[in-house]
Amino acid sequence: MSPAGYPGEEGAASVPSYNDNIRVISGTAHPVLAEAVAKEMGTGLCAAHIGRFPDGEIDIKINDDVRGTDCFVIQPLSPPVNENWVELLLLLDCLRRASAGRVTAVMPYYGYARKDRKDEGRVPISAKVVANTITRCGADRVLTIDMHAAQIQGFYDIPVDHLYAKPVLLKAVQAMAIANPVVVTPDVGGIKMARAYAKALGADLAIVDKRRVSGSEIAVEHLIGEVEGRNVLIVDDMISTGGSISEAAKVVRAHGAKTIVIAVTHAVLCGPAFERLDGCPADTILVTDTIPRRTKVPHQLQVVSVAPLLARAIQNLHDSKSLSILFETLDA
Ligand code: R5P
């Protein structure tokens, strides 16, 4: 990034490039996505050193001047979530102390979002702790995609821009030209998302009634709706251990579904996810790149990028333009 010169200064850049006041900073969680976003914006990544001290503590130094600039730190809270979280906090603190004009925490994947309430005694509300720390360490705003619980926005007293990956995934689904599809949600909590896809595709809706037995085990109780002889699109916000999605695929196949396509925003793919997905009856598993790709992925996996969506959102925020054109909400 070339620094803009002062008017009248000898040798100064007469017309600064439009993005000269933006800094896109990548944490170490997902530099491939950060680079893709910067490239979409026609800029580069801010120069920074992020390493480790011998004892494992995080060592950060931003090498470009950020004083008065509009900074966007791209860091999904994906595994290793605790490392990535602390690194994000240190980056925010670093930018604040370097007199950045505005700092936005861009979390394409918001970790701990499934812990958004006290559903039993003596447990934390981890999503609120994430919000407290992000704010406390200096973020002026937050930009994220498909938070597991949209009401987490209320944990913040700074603006939260919540984008949806639906337009990105839907485009890829539409390109498949699936005949007469039924959209299936793998649990009751996903009905709103499934209904939005069904509406956009003019499709029917079916629901898998899932019960969570433990963090990685689920049990399917019922399938509500008709899938026999139909092509099925299963949609969800995330695949973690793959239990919900693989069981949903198995149950719709057991009820006579023909082709099975899965479309999910966040591919966390931890624990037994590879074995579960690779061996499940899905023909295609469409995910986005909010989380870096694992080395071992199921053979059905196809990835679509959210980089253009994030780039557009960042540019509009910088230009103080509305984001509503990008907020194709689940009601749309
Ligand atoms: C649940 O409410 C979520 O939408 C996902 O279905 C779930 O968290 C995925 O977890 P797993 O892949 O471990 O079943």
Side-chain angles (χ1 to χ4, degrees), residues 234-274:
I234 306 175
V235 296
D236 206 353
D237 62 327
M238 62 188 289
I239 301 176
S240 184
T241 66
S244 309
I245 280 289
S246 61
E247 289 304 312
K250 282 185 210 161
V251 81
V252 296
R253 174 54 50 81
H255 281 75
K258 291 202 295 188
T259 58
I260 303 172
V261 174
I262 289 168
V264 169
T265 307
H266 308 295
V268 181
L269 304 185
C270 61
F274 169 77

Side-chain angles (χ1 to χ4, degrees), residues 77 85 89 92 110 126-139 156:
L77 298 193
W85 178 12
L89 298 179
L92 296 173
Y110 194 108
S126 311
K128 172 66 174 151
V129 179
V130 171
N132 288 348
T133 54
I134 297 277
T135 309
R136 187 72 188 85
C137 288
Y156 288 87

Side-chain angles (χ1 to χ4, degrees), residues 109 114 148 185-190 193 210 212 214-218 235-246 268-270 272-273 276-277:
Y109 170 68
R114 289 181 288 177
H148 178 69
T185 173
D187 59 41
V188 177
M193 175 179 274
K210 164 188 108 174
R212 187 164 282 287
S214 71
S216 65
E217 297 297 327
I218 62 125
V235 296
D236 206 353
D237 62 327
M238 62 188 289
I239 301 176
S240 184
T241 66
S244 309
I245 280 289
S246 61
V268 181
L269 304 185
C270 61
R276 284 174 170 177
L277 297 172

Side-chain angles (χ1 to χ4, degrees), residues 40-102:
E40 283 283 335
M41 295 172 61
T43 187
L45 289 176
C46 184
H49 162 77
I50 305 176
R52 292 289 179 277
F53 290 112
D55 59 1
E57 291 178 357
I58 299 167
D59 175 23
I60 292 180
K61 163 91 177 146
I62 303 286
N63 294 321
D64 282 340
D65 179 17
V66 294
R67 186 174 295 273
T69 60
D70 196 8
C71 294
F72 294 85
V73 185
I74 301 182
Q75 179 86 331
L77 298 193
S78 52
V81 55
N82 300 327
E83 279 279 311
N84 291 336
W85 178 12
V86 174
E87 191 182 284
L88 173 60
L89 298 179
L90 296 179
L91 279 164
L92 296 173
D93 182 78
C94 173
L95 292 165
R96 178 57 59 227
R97 290 174 196 281
S99 305
R102 180 175 69 170

